[in-house]
Amino acid sequence: MIRTDPASAFARSGGRVLWFLLAAAVVFGAAPALGDPLSGKGYAPEEAYRQSQAAIGRTVGDYAFLDTDGHPVKLSDFRGRPLVVNLVYTACTSVCPLIVDLLGRTSAVARDALGENSFSIVPVGFDSTADSPQRMRAFARSHGIGASNWTFLSADAETVNNLARDIGFVFF
């Protein structure tokens, strides 16, 4: 069996797999952030777009989170390889589960092409009052996510708000 290094696999794919993962995280991850378009309450697509665009190239803070076992994790723990950040709401029954399921399927393809630990995915619960380490663990299990390159995280409201600001994610 001939194995190629992850960089070669990435180059052969033209980066399509990783770009798809990033696009899915940004496009689908931002979808619940736009508020309720039917009521108009808090819905400001132009402002959400402006904030998302302003985040391009911005340095993200080295925030501290808790993993599903309650252990501290910092964003700097993921330095050295691509990182997909996906903000989720564990009580969501529509968009968030679809996004996580899509990321699960596409990340399996990316792992095959690039290597087992060539990138990381960190879903972060943005409902800081409910998305505890235990809820994040249950959410991961309910979606069959157990790959070593996934780390489900939770944090206090200030940390979640600062991360959301840094990456251009708007929610309420």
Side-chain angles (χ1 to χ4, degrees), residues 36-131:
D36 180 5
L38 297 177
S39 72
K41 184 176 182 184
Y43 186 67
E46 299 84 10
E47 179 59 19
Y49 179 75
R50 186 195 67 71
Q51 288 185 34
S52 71
Q53 296 303 292
I56 296 172
R58 184 181 295 153
T59 300
V60 176
D62 189 20
Y63 302 112
F65 300 90
L66 294 176
D67 68 12
T68 57
D69 293 322
H71 298 122
V73 175
K74 294 185 86 175
L75 285 182
S76 60
D77 296 340
F78 300 97
R79 281 198 182 121
R81 61 182 185 251
L83 176 65
V84 176
V85 175
N86 173 228
L87 279 89
V88 298
Y89 173 55
T90 60
C92 174
T93 59
S94 59
V95 177
C96 294
L98 291 173
I99 296 165
V100 171
D101 292 343
L102 175 65
L103 281 174
R105 289 190 306 273
T106 56
S107 70
V109 173
R111 276 193 314 276
D112 289 346
L114 304 173
E116 182 65 31
N117 289 308
S118 58
F119 63 95
S120 295
I121 300 174
V122 290
V124 177
F126 65 87
D127 180 358
S128 60
T129 60
D131 293 339

Side-chain angles (χ1 to χ4, degrees), residues 13-31:
S13 73
R16 288 184 302 272
V17 173
L18 191 55
W19 280 115
F20 180 76
L21 279 172
L22 293 173
V26 171
V27 172
F28 295 117

